[in-house]
Amino acid sequence: TAVETAPLPEMAAVEQAWHRGDFVTVRNDLERLAKEAGTALAQYRYGQVLLEGRGGPRDLAGAQHWLQQAVAQDHLAATTLLARIYLSTPDDQRDPAAATTLLARAAARGDSEAQYYLGLLTSAGDGTAKDEAAAVNWFLAAAEQDHVEAQYALSRAYARGAGTAEDPAKALHWITRAAEAGHSEAQFYLALAYERGQGVAQNTTLALRWYRASAEGGFILAQRILGTYYMQGDRVAQDFAEALRWLTPAAEAGEPGAMSNLG
């Protein structure tokens, strides 16, 4: 047929179609490249398209098949993505042991996402033996590559002394890195540390700055605290419009303190 005799699409053309938002073309071209050229990159990208349901229906089984083909060719990102599928499928199909095997391969090759997820599984003893010290090492490896969730997880480990000696200075270092990268939960706990003077000199100005950043990132507890400050004129000039602005979304999300204060 005409399709079979047509020359194979170039990956550059696939990229252009992607940027145009023409995912039907992307899906068709990647299918041909995955099947006929058999390159690991095409198989990975086709698996990704099927997983996300771009240019057609979502096809989880198809996504897994093509990602497995790419993994067989040692494609790093495919290895991590397939592991994440094994972790996120419904409970009866979830396979943390298979995910751990894949993540260990990718983490050893320096993939920060794999290192972070391997840290989570190792910390929880999910699909592998529980080993909090090993988890801290994986979080650290990912955190040093600017993986924000890993930076936050590492800060919590140092704060609690989980798998490592309790170390407030290191906890503060990593929670600050995560907060500066926009992690709203890290911003909230950093604000709390400055407000209470926990592991750092008390500083209400910095506390307020981080509460605001966290609230703007949609973190409900920060919205409630910031809204309450404006309602009471505590640390800031009293401003009922600002109080409403922050208490309303927190109350709508079901935060009891915000609902009470808004009432």
Side-chain angles (χ1 to χ4, degrees):
T1 66
V3 173
E4 284 167 346
T5 54
L8 278 176
E10 297 281 335
M11 194 52 99
V14 174
E15 294 293 346
Q16 286 165 2
W18 186 286
H19 289 302
R20 288 198 308 274
D22 179 3
F23 295 112
V24 173
T25 298
V26 168
R27 189 171 175 133
N28 291 337
D29 286 357
L30 283 175
E31 181 180 15
R32 285 197 64 205
L33 285 168
K35 288 176 176 174
E36 295 172 44
T39 62
L41 176 61
Q43 292 168 344
Y44 162 64
R45 293 290 296 277
Y46 185 46
Q48 197 179 22
V49 161
L50 293 177
L51 178 66
E52 293 170 4
R54 291 180 185 267
R58 189 167 186 264
D59 178 1
L60 184 59
Q64 284 182 246
H65 169 77
W66 287 109
L67 289 171
Q68 284 161 352
Q69 302 297 309
V71 168
Q73 297 195 64
D74 295 320
H75 192 280
L76 187 58
T79 307
T80 302
L81 184 56
L82 184 59
R84 291 188 61 183
I85 290 174
Y86 288 150
L87 292 175
S88 63
T89 48
D91 283 347
D92 56 329
Q93 294 156 14
R94 191 173 180 273
D95 193 344
T100 300
T101 302
L102 288 170
L103 290 171
R105 281 173 60 181
R109 289 169 64 194
D111 186 79
S112 63
E113 188 88 343
Q115 291 165 343
Y116 167 65
Y117 278 99
L118 190 58
L120 288 182
L121 293 177
T122 311
S123 170
D126 185 10
T128 183
K130 186 181 174 76
D131 186 342
E132 289 190 316
V136 168
N137 285 334
W138 287 121
F139 288 145
L140 180 60
E144 286 176 337
Q145 294 192 71
D146 297 325
H147 192 287
V148 180
E149 292 286 353
Q151 292 173 341
Y152 179 61
L154 187 60
S155 75
R156 304 300 282 167
Y158 281 126
R160 295 196 314 267
T164 182
E166 202 173 310
D167 191 327
K170 284 181 180 175
L172 183 72
H173 169 77
W174 288 110
I175 203 166
T176 303
R177 288 273 299 269
E180 286 171 347
H183 192 288
S184 59
E185 200 168 332
Q187 291 167 340
F188 173 76
Y189 284 107
L190 185 57
L192 214 54
Y194 277 117
E195 185 178 37
R196 295 174 177 173
Q198 286 177 329
V200 67
Q202 198 169 14
N203 187 324
T204 50
T205 306
L206 278 177
L208 197 63
R209 179 190 146 197
W210 286 116
Y211 278 135
R212 184 179 297 283
S214 178
E216 285 171 351
F219 196 67
I220 296 163
L221 289 176
Q223 292 173 337
R224 189 252 288 164
I225 287 176
L226 194 59
T228 305
Y229 283 166
Y230 278 112
M231 182 182 81
Q232 296 173 342
D234 182 9
R235 296 170 175 76
V236 289
Q238 195 170 39
D239 186 331
F240 290 117
E242 275 293 283
L244 274 173
R245 178 185 164 205
W246 293 116
L247 288 172
T248 302
E252 284 171 351
E255 207 288 317
M259 289 162 82
S260 163
N261 286 346
L262 194 61

